[in-house]
Amino acid sequence: MSPPPLSKPRNICKARFIRVLVLLQLGLFFWGYRWMDNAPAPSAVLAAVPAAAASSGSGAVVPDSLRPHPLQLQFDGRRTPLPDSLSRVTLPHPIPDAETLFRLPLVQQAVRYATTLAGAEGYLAAAIDSLRLPAQPGEPLVLLGSRGCAHTLASTRITLTNTPGDWSDEQLREFESAMLGISGSFLRTGRRYRADLAEREIGAVLRFWEREGHLFAQVRPELRLHECAISLDLATDPGPLVRADELRFSGVSRNNPDFLARVSGIREGSILDASALRNARLSLENTGLLSSVEDLLILQETGTGRFILEIVVQERRTNAIDLLFGYVPDPGGGGTVVGSGDLVLRNVFLPGSRLDLQFERLQQFVTRLDMGYESRFIGSSPFGAGARFRFEQQDTLYQVRNLQLSGRYRLSSTTDLIAGLRQEVSVSGALPVQQQRVLDATSLFTGFGIEFRDTDRLRNPTRGATFFLLAETGVKRLTDANRELFTERSRLNQQEVHFRAQAYLSPFRRQVVAPSLHGFLSLSPEYTESDLNRFGGARNLRGYREEQFQASRMLWSDAEYRYLLDEDSYAFVFGALGWYERPVLIFEGRPALGDEPARASGAQREWLRSWGFGFAVGTPLGTMQFSYALGRGDTFGNGKVHVGLRADI
C-alpha cells in the first residue's frame, strides 16, 4: 500500500473535541440499537440466532489511500477467517460514524456469515457487539463479537402434522417405532447442538418417507431455546402417497416406448418410492439402448391429482461398430499388425435384442469368427435367451467350433442369473502325428453363473461395480484315430470357471480409479491346446502380444487411473500384475514316436507385469482410443501400440 499523502497540520484541541463527540454519539447509538431490531443477524441453519448488538468504535479520519481495507472477524479475542469475498471492504471517505459503517452491505454480509457460522456450531447466542476502526495505514476494520455459551441438545422429538388418511392404527405404531429408531441417530441428547447433524437427522426422516412412497414429504424444524440448551422438534408432513397413474418417456424415437416401460418395472398403480425409481433407472441403462437416463420427473395433474412419471432419456444410435488395430514390434526388427472388428445390430426381430458379429486376427496365423444373437427381455417376462457360434482356425494345425445356447433370469435391476449349454468340437489338421496339438474330440458343457452391473452410467462410468462369474462342467469324448498313442482315456471330465470384476471409484473431481480382477481355471485329467485359455493383448493383459500366453490357471489384476477431460474423454495410466500356469499337454513329455525326437514339456508357471498410458477422446465419429503398453523386459521404445474406434452408427 502506498504511503498516505501529506496533509496540513491539524488543530489538536479540535481533533480531541471531535473524538470525544464521536464517542458520545457511538455510546448513544450502542444504547439505542439494543432496543431496536433494525439490523438483525440471520438465523443459522436450523438455529435461532438473536440480532447483532450495536457497534462502537473510534471515528478517526482515515486518508483516502487506505481504501479498500482488510476486514477481519474476532470472536472472544480469537480471529475467525472470512471468505475471500468478504475479506476486504471499501470505506467511504471521510469515514462516517460507526452506525453508518455497520449498515454497509458487505459489513452486514460479514455479520450474517459470522453469526450463521457460530450458530451452526452450537453457539446460538453469538453476536457482533463492536467495531474497531483502522487508525493507521494498512490496519483492518475488525468486527468484534462474543460466541456466548455452546448450546447442548436437551431433547429431540419427531411428530406428524398430517396423518395419511388411509393409515391404520398398526401403521401409526410402525411409524412411531421407526421414528424412535431414527431419533438420536446423529443428534445425541446432552451433546453440543450442530446444524450439520440436525440436517442429517432431517435427511434420515425424509429417506424413511421416500422408502414408503411419500416423495413430497416435508420436515419443518422448530427450535426452543433455553439457557445454553435447545429442544428440537421435527414436524413432519408426509404428503400424499405417490402412485404411478401414467408413465411417459421423453427423448425416445429409435426404441419402442412400451418395451422400455416393461423393462423399467414401473406399472400403473405402482408406488413410486426411492427404490422403484432407482431400479427403473438402472434397468433402462443396462439394456444398452440408452446413453443415459437423464431425469425422472414426477408431475401432478392440476385438479385430478394424478401422478405422471416422465422419464427423460438420451438414446444411443441403434447399431455400433468397434474396431481395434495394434502394432506389435518383433524382437529381431519389424513388427506385426493385428486387429479385430465388432459389428452390433440392436432391436433385430425383437425389441431390446442384440445381434453381433466379430472377426479377429490377433496372431499371424490365427483367425476367429464369433456370431451371437440374444434377447434379454422376452415379452414382459424376466427371462431372456440367446445363441452363439464361435469358430477358430489355427492355420492348418486345427480348428475349434463352439455352439452355445444360453438363458438368463432377471433377478433384479442389477443382477441376472445365467445358464448355458455349450458344445465344442475340435478337429486336428491333416498333420503328422508328431505335430498334433489337439485331438479330434466333442465336448458338452453345462454352466451356471451370475452377472452384476451397478454403475452411474453405461459408458465411461465414474462410480459403481461390475461382476461376472460362470462355472461350467462337462465331458470331453476323444474320437481321434491316434488317441491310443497318447492316452488310454477316451473320456475326460472337465470343469471351467471364468470370472471378472471391476470397480469404479472417484476420490476427487474429474478423477477415477478403476481396479479390476480377472481369472480362469480349467480342471482336466489331461490337456490339449484347445483346452487352454489364451490371454494377453489390448483387451486383457496389456503390454504383451495378442494371446501370447496359454493357461489352465490364470489370475491377473490391473489398476487404471483416469483423468476425465469431459464425459466421453479421458487420459489414463495403468499398471498390471498377473500369474498363470500352463500344464503339460497330452503330447508332451512322452517317448518319441518313430524317428521324431520326443517333445519337450511346455509346462510353465510365470509372473507377469506391465504398465502403460493412453487416452480416449470423444469425436463426432465416435470414441477414439490409443494405448501404449510395455510388458516385462520391454524397453520404452519397444512398447505395444493399439488404436481403436467405438462408434454408434
mmCIF file with all atom_site columns, all heavy atoms in Angstrom, residues 283-294:
data_model
loop_
_atom_site.group_PDB
_atom_site.id
_atom_site.type_symbol
_atom_site.label_atom_id
_atom_site.label_alt_id
_atom_site.label_comp_id
_atom_site.label_asym_id
_atom_site.label_entity_id
_atom_site.label_seq_id
_atom_site.pdbx_PDB_ins_code
_atom_site.Cartn_x
_atom_site.Cartn_y
_atom_site.Cartn_z
_atom_site.occupancy
_atom_site.B_iso_or_equiv
_atom_site.pdbx_formal_charge
_atom_site.auth_seq_id
_atom_site.auth_comp_id
_atom_site.auth_asym_id
_atom_site.auth_atom_id
_atom_site.pdbx_PDB_model_num
ATOM 1  N N   . SER A 1 283 ? -32.324 -50.403 -14.637 1.00 0.00 ? 283 SER A N   1
ATOM 2  C CA  . SER A 1 283 ? -32.835 -51.356 -15.620 1.00 0.00 ? 283 SER A CA  1
ATOM 3  C C   . SER A 1 283 ? -32.784 -50.785 -17.021 1.00 0.00 ? 283 SER A C   1
ATOM 4  O O   . SER A 1 283 ? -32.409 -51.475 -17.980 1.00 0.00 ? 283 SER A O   1
ATOM 5  C CB  . SER A 1 283 ? -34.270 -51.752 -15.261 1.00 0.00 ? 283 SER A CB  1
ATOM 6  O OG  . SER A 1 283 ? -34.326 -52.418 -14.028 1.00 0.00 ? 283 SER A OG  1
ATOM 7  N N   . LEU A 1 284 ? -33.140 -49.536 -17.177 1.00 0.00 ? 284 LEU A N   1
ATOM 8  C CA  . LEU A 1 284 ? -33.130 -48.910 -18.502 1.00 0.00 ? 284 LEU A CA  1
ATOM 9  C C   . LEU A 1 284 ? -31.704 -48.735 -19.013 1.00 0.00 ? 284 LEU A C   1
ATOM 10 O O   . LEU A 1 284 ? -31.421 -48.984 -20.190 1.00 0.00 ? 284 LEU A O   1
ATOM 11 C CB  . LEU A 1 284 ? -33.850 -47.562 -18.435 1.00 0.00 ? 284 LEU A CB  1
ATOM 12 C CG  . LEU A 1 284 ? -35.368 -47.639 -18.234 1.00 0.00 ? 284 LEU A CG  1
ATOM 13 C CD1 . LEU A 1 284 ? -35.936 -46.255 -17.932 1.00 0.00 ? 284 LEU A CD1 1
ATOM 14 C CD2 . LEU A 1 284 ? -36.054 -48.232 -19.454 1.00 0.00 ? 284 LEU A CD2 1
ATOM 15 N N   . GLU A 1 285 ? -30.790 -48.318 -18.154 1.00 0.00 ? 285 GLU A N   1
ATOM 16 C CA  . GLU A 1 285 ? -29.409 -48.119 -18.597 1.00 0.00 ? 285 GLU A CA  1
ATOM 17 C C   . GLU A 1 285 ? -28.740 -49.441 -18.957 1.00 0.00 ? 285 GLU A C   1
ATOM 18 O O   . GLU A 1 285 ? -27.917 -49.502 -19.877 1.00 0.00 ? 285 GLU A O   1
ATOM 19 C CB  . GLU A 1 285 ? -28.621 -47.392 -17.510 1.00 0.00 ? 285 GLU A CB  1
ATOM 20 C CG  . GLU A 1 285 ? -29.013 -45.931 -17.346 1.00 0.00 ? 285 GLU A CG  1
ATOM 21 C CD  . GLU A 1 285 ? -28.204 -45.225 -16.281 1.00 0.00 ? 285 GLU A CD  1
ATOM 22 O OE1 . GLU A 1 285 ? -27.586 -45.930 -15.446 1.00 0.00 ? 285 GLU A OE1 1
ATOM 23 O OE2 . GLU A 1 285 ? -28.203 -43.985 -16.266 1.00 0.00 ? 285 GLU A OE2 1
ATOM 24 N N   . ASN A 1 286 ? -29.088 -50.512 -18.251 1.00 0.00 ? 286 ASN A N   1
ATOM 25 C CA  . ASN A 1 286 ? -28.443 -51.806 -18.514 1.00 0.00 ? 286 ASN A CA  1
ATOM 26 C C   . ASN A 1 286 ? -28.959 -52.495 -19.773 1.00 0.00 ? 286 ASN A C   1
ATOM 27 O O   . ASN A 1 286 ? -28.442 -53.551 -20.146 1.00 0.00 ? 286 ASN A O   1
ATOM 28 C CB  . ASN A 1 286 ? -28.618 -52.719 -17.306 1.00 0.00 ? 286 ASN A CB  1
ATOM 29 C CG  . ASN A 1 286 ? -27.734 -52.310 -16.142 1.00 0.00 ? 286 ASN A CG  1
ATOM 30 O OD1 . ASN A 1 286 ? -26.771 -51.575 -16.315 1.00 0.00 ? 286 ASN A OD1 1
ATOM 31 N ND2 . ASN A 1 286 ? -28.068 -52.780 -14.953 1.00 0.00 ? 286 ASN A ND2 1
ATOM 32 N N   . THR A 1 287 ? -29.976 -51.939 -20.433 1.00 0.00 ? 287 THR A N   1
ATOM 33 C CA  . THR A 1 287 ? -30.397 -52.508 -21.713 1.00 0.00 ? 287 THR A CA  1
ATOM 34 C C   . THR A 1 287 ? -29.361 -52.274 -22.806 1.00 0.00 ? 287 THR A C   1
ATOM 35 O O   . THR A 1 287 ? -29.337 -52.991 -23.800 1.00 0.00 ? 287 THR A O   1
ATOM 36 C CB  . THR A 1 287 ? -31.731 -51.898 -22.171 1.00 0.00 ? 287 THR A CB  1
ATOM 37 O OG1 . THR A 1 287 ? -31.573 -50.475 -22.346 1.00 0.00 ? 287 THR A OG1 1
ATOM 38 C CG2 . THR A 1 287 ? -32.835 -52.161 -21.169 1.00 0.00 ? 287 THR A CG2 1
ATOM 39 N N   . GLY A 1 288 ? -28.517 -51.248 -22.645 1.00 0.00 ? 288 GLY A N   1
ATOM 40 C CA  . GLY A 1 288 ? -27.564 -50.891 -23.689 1.00 0.00 ? 288 GLY A CA  1
ATOM 41 C C   . GLY A 1 288 ? -28.165 -50.070 -24.808 1.00 0.00 ? 288 GLY A C   1
ATOM 42 O O   . GLY A 1 288 ? -27.462 -49.701 -25.755 1.00 0.00 ? 288 GLY A O   1
ATOM 43 N N   . LEU A 1 289 ? -29.458 -49.748 -24.709 1.00 0.00 ? 289 LEU A N   1
ATOM 44 C CA  . LEU A 1 289 ? -30.128 -48.975 -25.755 1.00 0.00 ? 289 LEU A CA  1
ATOM 45 C C   . LEU A 1 289 ? -30.037 -47.476 -25.531 1.00 0.00 ? 289 LEU A C   1
ATOM 46 O O   . LEU A 1 289 ? -30.291 -46.696 -26.446 1.00 0.00 ? 289 LEU A O   1
ATOM 47 C CB  . LEU A 1 289 ? -31.606 -49.373 -25.829 1.00 0.00 ? 289 LEU A CB  1
ATOM 48 C CG  . LEU A 1 289 ? -31.892 -50.855 -26.135 1.00 0.00 ? 289 LEU A CG  1
ATOM 49 C CD1 . LEU A 1 289 ? -33.382 -51.126 -26.017 1.00 0.00 ? 289 LEU A CD1 1
ATOM 50 C CD2 . LEU A 1 289 ? -31.387 -51.216 -27.519 1.00 0.00 ? 289 LEU A CD2 1
ATOM 51 N N   . LEU A 1 290 ? -29.690 -47.056 -24.309 1.00 0.00 ? 290 LEU A N   1
ATOM 52 C CA  . LEU A 1 290 ? -29.714 -45.644 -23.952 1.00 0.00 ? 290 LEU A CA  1
ATOM 53 C C   . LEU A 1 290 ? -28.325 -45.192 -23.538 1.00 0.00 ? 290 LEU A C   1
ATOM 54 O O   . LEU A 1 290 ? -27.590 -45.919 -22.858 1.00 0.00 ? 290 LEU A O   1
ATOM 55 C CB  . LEU A 1 290 ? -30.695 -45.400 -22.801 1.00 0.00 ? 290 LEU A CB  1
ATOM 56 C CG  . LEU A 1 290 ? -32.113 -45.952 -22.983 1.00 0.00 ? 290 LEU A CG  1
ATOM 57 C CD1 . LEU A 1 290 ? -32.912 -45.766 -21.712 1.00 0.00 ? 290 LEU A CD1 1
ATOM 58 C CD2 . LEU A 1 290 ? -32.799 -45.274 -24.159 1.00 0.00 ? 290 LEU A CD2 1
ATOM 59 N N   . SER A 1 291 ? -27.974 -43.979 -23.944 1.00 0.00 ? 291 SER A N   1
ATOM 60 C CA  . SER A 1 291 ? -26.719 -43.401 -23.469 1.00 0.00 ? 291 SER A CA  1
ATOM 61 C C   . SER A 1 291 ? -26.826 -43.049 -21.998 1.00 0.00 ? 291 SER A C   1
ATOM 62 O O   . SER A 1 291 ? -25.876 -43.231 -21.229 1.00 0.00 ? 291 SER A O   1
ATOM 63 C CB  . SER A 1 291 ? -26.368 -42.145 -24.283 1.00 0.00 ? 291 SER A CB  1
ATOM 64 O OG  . SER A 1 291 ? -26.106 -42.473 -25.628 1.00 0.00 ? 291 SER A OG  1
ATOM 65 N N   . SER A 1 292 ? -27.983 -42.545 -21.592 1.00 0.00 ? 292 SER A N   1
ATOM 66 C CA  . SER A 1 292 ? -28.178 -42.181 -20.191 1.00 0.00 ? 292 SER A CA  1
ATOM 67 C C   . SER A 1 292 ? -29.655 -41.990 -19.917 1.00 0.00 ? 292 SER A C   1
ATOM 68 O O   . SER A 1 292 ? -30.445 -41.730 -20.834 1.00 0.00 ? 292 SER A O   1
ATOM 69 C CB  . SER A 1 292 ? -27.417 -40.890 -19.846 1.00 0.00 ? 292 SER A CB  1
ATOM 70 O OG  . SER A 1 292 ? -27.939 -39.793 -20.583 1.00 0.00 ? 292 SER A OG  1
ATOM 71 N N   . VAL A 1 293 ? -30.023 -42.146 -18.658 1.00 0.00 ? 293 VAL A N   1
ATOM 72 C CA  . VAL A 1 293 ? -31.338 -41.746 -18.158 1.00 0.00 ? 293 VAL A CA  1
ATOM 73 C C   . VAL A 1 293 ? -31.112 -40.436 -17.424 1.00 0.00 ? 293 VAL A C   1
ATOM 74 O O   . VAL A 1 293 ? -30.562 -40.404 -16.327 1.00 0.00 ? 293 VAL A O   1
ATOM 75 C CB  . VAL A 1 293 ? -31.936 -42.816 -17.232 1.00 0.00 ? 293 VAL A CB  1
ATOM 76 C CG1 . VAL A 1 293 ? -33.283 -42.365 -16.690 1.00 0.00 ? 293 VAL A CG1 1
ATOM 77 C CG2 . VAL A 1 293 ? -32.088 -44.133 -17.975 1.00 0.00 ? 293 VAL A CG2 1
ATOM 78 N N   . GLU A 1 294 ? -31.500 -39.338 -18.062 1.00 0.00 ? 294 GLU A N   1
ATOM 79 C CA  . GLU A 1 294 ? -31.105 -38.036 -17.567 1.00 0.00 ? 294 GLU A CA  1
ATOM 80 C C   . GLU A 1 294 ? -31.929 -37.574 -16.372 1.00 0.00 ? 294 GLU A C   1
ATOM 81 O O   . GLU A 1 294 ? -31.417 -36.898 -15.483 1.00 0.00 ? 294 GLU A O   1
ATOM 82 C CB  . GLU A 1 294 ? -31.195 -37.005 -18.697 1.00 0.00 ? 294 GLU A CB  1
ATOM 83 C CG  . GLU A 1 294 ? -30.232 -37.307 -19.846 1.00 0.00 ? 294 GLU A CG  1
ATOM 84 C CD  . GLU A 1 294 ? -30.284 -36.264 -20.932 1.00 0.00 ? 294 GLU A CD  1
ATOM 85 O OE1 . GLU A 1 294 ? -31.226 -35.448 -20.921 1.00 0.00 ? 294 GLU A OE1 1
ATOM 86 O OE2 . GLU A 1 294 ? -29.386 -36.269 -21.789 1.00 0.00 ? 294 GLU A OE2 1
#
